[in-house]
Amino acid sequence: MSDRTETATLREFNRTWTQRVGVLEESFLGTGRPLNVARLLFEIGPDGAGVRELRDRLDLDSGYLTRLLRRLTDDGLVELRPDPADRRRRLATLTPAGRASWRELDERSEELAARLVAPLTPRQRGRLIEALATANLLVRAATTALREVGPDDPVAREAAGRYFAELDRRFPGGFDPGVPDHEGRFLVATSAGRPVAYGGVRPLPDGSAEIKRMWVDDAWRGAGLGSRMLRELEALAVRRGHGRVVLDTNRTLVEAIAMYERAGYSPVERYNDNPYAQAWFAKVLT
Amino acid sequence: MSDRTETATLREFNRTWTQRVGVLEESFLGTGRPLNVARLLFEIGPDGAGVRELRDRLDLDSGYLTRLLRRLTDDGLVELRPDPADRRRRLATLTPAGRASWRELDERSEELAARLVAPLTPRQRGRLIEALATANLLVRAATTALREVGPDDPVAREAAGRYFAELDRRFPGGFDPGVPDHEGRFLVATSAGRPVAYGGVRPLPDGSAEIKRMWVDDAWRGAGLGSRMLRELEALAVRRGHGRVVLDTNRTLVEAIAMYERAGYSPVERYNDNPYAQAWFAKVLT
DNA sequence: ACCATTCTCTGACTATGGTCAGAGGATGTC
DNA sequence: GACATCCTCTGACCATAGTCAGAGAATGGT
């Protein structure tokens, strides 16, 4: 019903943004250098970057990227050297001249942003920035894919570490993960290669699946990533043949409990001997 | 002070949007047809459009536009015919096949928007849409230029008409503009050729300038356009050699009065015999 | 009737963006 | 040490984007 006005608002905004900001940006950043060359220079950044990594980030053909890099090296802005760790790869770093160009790009971009909001009153400026921050979070959350991984995937391990660390901070008596357990399938959402949301399912002897280790990075909360993780974990459990999911949690985790209830979970009796668990929930999957 | 975090938020959002939405959009709309051709087709729309108008809206070189149009006419999607009102101009309209292609583009764009928000919960979706609507309004307001025109400019006349109509609606006894007055300089903000904000200054015998006919379109309120109009009218008064501005208003217009007070105006005695005026303000310009 | 101006269109270019196949060196695995 | 794979780079292309000068028809003002 309101679907149509929702998409209309989104499309209208997109039109405004690309027309008023995107165009401005191109004319700003593109001075002197072709747009893709400028973007590449910007992406390499003061700390340098691997060529392979740049290819992924900018989604460019390898041959094309090589040629773009050539222009930058010819202009004396960038230096390429083999990666000592893997000599098939090359690392790109900015020369002093390159750093100067980078700073100039950065300043232009900063100036563009400042100029864009300048006509607004401070009050309206505040409203705009707040709206953009909200939209940024939600758009990122909406466009971040949940990837299925095993428990020993490096990203999964990093996420688990951060999950345990948070429990240790929040539980009054701390938290001890005990012996690592290599069972189950996990979903992770990543941003720039780092995990921002994580969760898993494990089969139980009675045929249910247990949802475990649900975790969302602080900076990504409030965007519905947790609910989405829960939904997709349930779908994963269904795919693996389970008709019912259970989970346990600690009374400290109030937001989590509220979310389980919103998602249709009902309290059940203790089904395990997890010493940290104080509440148990279950939901039948259709 | 908070300037730096403001621009950082804006830049961060821009990065997210262009990366996650812009790229998606190009791959979506660009299927089969080059991006600019698709955009042009979309811009012509079911109602058709003048070639001159398209050139302005898309900001294209006239030669380039002609060639883009050629591809559309060659493919049987668009028909060009001379404008009966001015035979130098040409009008572009979609053929039935063109309308079908247009609809397809429209549906794809709609689908893209729906898909983007699909992973969000209804609650988060609502928040996103609200944030985008706010941002849309504010960005448009911030990037709309105020143009100086004379009182007889067609856009100024249209704006004046809407201003008078609104007074007539809001004043208990209606409003009669009386004899049109061709004095003063005006500022208008336009969107797609229609006025969305309007206001003027007129020299008074005592050397002050009078601010008059301040008006902002309903759909554009709440974005600070009024304050900006006021500021720029003051600047216009200064440029024309005035050191003080005055204005009168009606008690009905409560938002306007609040804005004048925020902008540093102080109440003064009645300085004219305007029968609709119930409050008078002045501000000394530096 | 003249003149400056406007609009569209053509020709002639150049630059930018993007693709593909394959060479050649480096790496990891069995 | 053989083999599949990965990474970078080159050559050979082609499409798209964008610019500029000017021709030719139409218009508006004087």
Side-chain angles (χ1 to χ4, degrees):
Chain A
M1 33 146 282
S2 86
D3 267 15
R4 191 80 195 186
T5 62
E6 279 185 358
T7 51
T9 303
L10 199 149
R11 289 174 68 185
E12 169 65 26
F13 171 80
N14 187 45
R15 218 180 143 82
T16 300
W17 192 262
T18 47
Q19 267 187 15
R20 316 258 174 151
V21 183
V23 172
L24 258 181
E25 194 182 25
E26 279 176 34
S27 70
F28 245 64
L29 296 187
T31 22
R33 240 174 281 285
L35 193 57
N36 271 347
V37 177
R39 270 206 248 277
L40 176 57
L41 180 69
F42 194 80
E43 202 66 32
I44 292 172
D47 300 333
V51 170
R52 184 61 237 252
E53 188 193 343
L54 291 169
R55 240 178 70 197
D56 287 341
R57 289 219 298 249
L58 297 171
D59 191 33
L60 294 173
D61 175 84
S62 63
Y64 186 31
L65 177 57
T66 300
R67 260 175 283 265
L68 292 177
L69 280 169
R70 262 298 289 278
R71 300 178 65 156
L72 290 173
T73 52
D74 284 356
D75 290 355
L77 302 177
V78 164
E79 270 172 353
L80 287 175
R81 59 166 206 285
D83 182 341
D86 180 344
R87 299 223 315 290
R88 287 170 302 184
R89 300 175 181 233
R90 314 197 77 188
L91 299 176
T93 48
L94 298 181
T95 63
R99 266 193 295 278
S101 282
W102 186 90
R103 256 196 310 279
E104 196 195 330
L105 277 179
D106 186 59
E107 274 161 25
R108 274 221 209 101
S109 180
E110 193 71 20
E111 187 195 334
L112 174 62
R115 188 180 294 193
L116 181 76
V117 297
L120 295 176
T121 60
R123 212 161 47 118
Q124 308 298 2
R125 192 147 54 212
R127 280 180 65 208
L128 174 61
I129 296 300
E130 196 194 318
L132 292 183
T134 301
N136 184 44
L137 178 69
L138 290 165
V139 169
R140 292 175 71 119
T143 55
T144 297
L146 298 182
R147 190 158 48 91
E148 184 178 341
V149 296
D152 296 321
D153 179 283
V155 177
R157 297 176 97 104
E158 184 182 344
R162 299 191 53 191
Y163 168 69
F164 294 143
E166 178 170 346
L167 292 190
D168 193 45
R169 259 197 323 277
R170 292 186 64 163
F171 288 178
F175 175 79
D176 172 17
V179 261
D181 143 16
H182 297 281
E183 234 184 336
R185 297 298 296 171
F186 291 82
L187 295 179
V188 282
T190 53
S191 174
R194 319 306 303 271
V196 298
Y198 172 67
V201 289
R202 163 172 67 179
L204 290 189
D206 73 347
S208 299
E210 181 178 35
I211 287 184
K212 48 184 222 167
R213 297 193 192 167
M214 285 249 323
W215 167 83
V216 176
D217 183 291
D218 270 346
W220 288 67
R221 296 204 179 153
L225 252 188
S227 312
R228 193 170 141 218
M229 174 67 75
L230 192 57
R231 276 204 312 279
E232 300 209 11
L233 284 174
E234 290 167 5
L236 177 57
V238 168
R239 278 204 303 281
R240 297 179 80 82
H242 303 282
R244 177 169 177 269
V245 283
V246 299
L247 56 87
D248 66 15
T249 188
N250 188 286
R251 291 250 166 260
T252 321
L253 307 174
V254 283
E255 322 89 307
I257 292 178
M259 183 179 75
Y260 298 141
E261 285 170 344
R262 266 204 312 279
Y265 283 74
S266 321
V268 292
E269 289 297 295
R270 171 189 277 276
Y271 63 81
N272 62 8
D273 57 359
N274 177 355
Y276 298 101
Q278 300 168 341
W280 295 261
F281 290 90
K283 177 179 181 182
V284 174
L285 305 175
T286 47
Chain B
M1 28 148 279
S2 85
D3 268 16
R4 191 81 195 184
T5 61
E6 278 184 358
T7 51
T9 303
L10 200 149
R11 289 174 67 187
E12 169 65 27
F13 171 80
N14 187 43
R15 217 181 145 79
T16 299
W17 192 262
T18 47
Q19 268 188 15
R20 315 257 176 150
V21 184
V23 171
L24 257 180
E25 194 182 26
E26 280 178 33
S27 69
F28 245 65
L29 296 187
T31 23
R33 243 174 278 287
L35 194 57
N36 270 347
V37 177
R39 272 206 247 276
L40 176 56
L41 179 68
F42 194 80
E43 202 67 32
I44 292 171
D47 302 333
V51 170
R52 184 61 236 254
E53 189 193 344
L54 291 169
R55 240 176 72 199
D56 287 342
R57 290 219 298 250
L58 297 171
D59 191 32
L60 293 173
D61 174 84
S62 63
Y64 185 32
L65 177 57
T66 300
R67 258 175 284 264
L68 291 177
L69 280 169
R70 262 299 289 280
R71 299 179 64 159
L72 290 173
T73 52
D74 284 356
D75 291 355
L77 303 176
V78 164
E79 270 172 355
L80 287 175
R81 59 166 207 284
D83 182 342
D86 179 345
R87 297 223 316 292
R88 288 170 302 181
R89 301 178 180 230
R90 314 195 78 188
L91 299 176
T93 47
L94 298 181
T95 62
R99 264 193 295 279
S101 283
W102 185 90
R103 254 196 312 277
E104 195 195 333
L105 277 179
D106 186 58
E107 274 161 24
R108 276 222 207 100
S109 180
E110 193 71 21
E111 187 196 333
L112 175 63
R115 189 181 293 197
L116 181 75
V117 298
L120 295 175
T121 60
R123 211 162 46 121
Q124 308 298 1
R125 190 146 58 211
R127 281 181 65 208
L128 174 60
I129 296 302
E130 194 194 320
L132 292 182
T134 302
N136 184 43
L137 178 68
L138 291 165
V139 168
R140 292 175 72 118
T143 54
T144 298
L146 298 181
R147 190 158 48 93
E148 184 177 341
V149 295
D152 296 321
D153 178 282
V155 178
R157 297 176 98 103
E158 183 182 346
R162 299 192 51 192
Y163 169 71
F164 294 144
E166 177 170 346
L167 292 189
D168 193 46
R169 260 197 321 278
R170 293 187 62 161
F171 289 177
F175 175 80
D176 172 17
V179 260
D181 143 15
H182 298 280
E183 234 184 336
R185 297 297 296 170
F186 291 83
L187 295 179
V188 282
T190 52
S191 172
R194 320 306 303 269
V196 297
Y198 172 68
V201 290
R202 161 172 70 178
L204 290 189
D206 72 350
S208 298
E210 181 179 34
I211 286 183
K212 48 183 221 170
R213 298 191 193 169
M214 285 250 319
W215 167 82
V216 176
D217 182 292
D218 270 347
W220 288 67
R221 295 202 180 154
L225 252 188
S227 310
R228 194 170 142 217
M229 174 66 76
L230 192 57
R231 278 203 311 279
E232 301 208 13
L233 285 174
E234 290 167 6
L236 177 59
V238 169
R239 280 204 302 282
R240 297 179 80 83
H242 302 283
R244 177 170 175 271
V245 284
V246 298
L247 56 87
D248 65 15
T249 188
N250 188 286
R251 291 251 167 256
T252 322
L253 307 174
V254 283
E255 322 87 305
I257 292 178
M259 182 179 75
Y260 299 141
E261 286 170 343
R262 268 205 311 281
Y265 282 74
S266 319
V268 293
E269 290 295 298
R270 174 187 276 278
Y271 64 81
N272 61 10
D273 55 2
N274 177 353
Y276 298 102
Q278 301 168 341
W280 295 262
F281 290 89
K283 177 180 181 180
V284 174
L285 304 176
T286 49

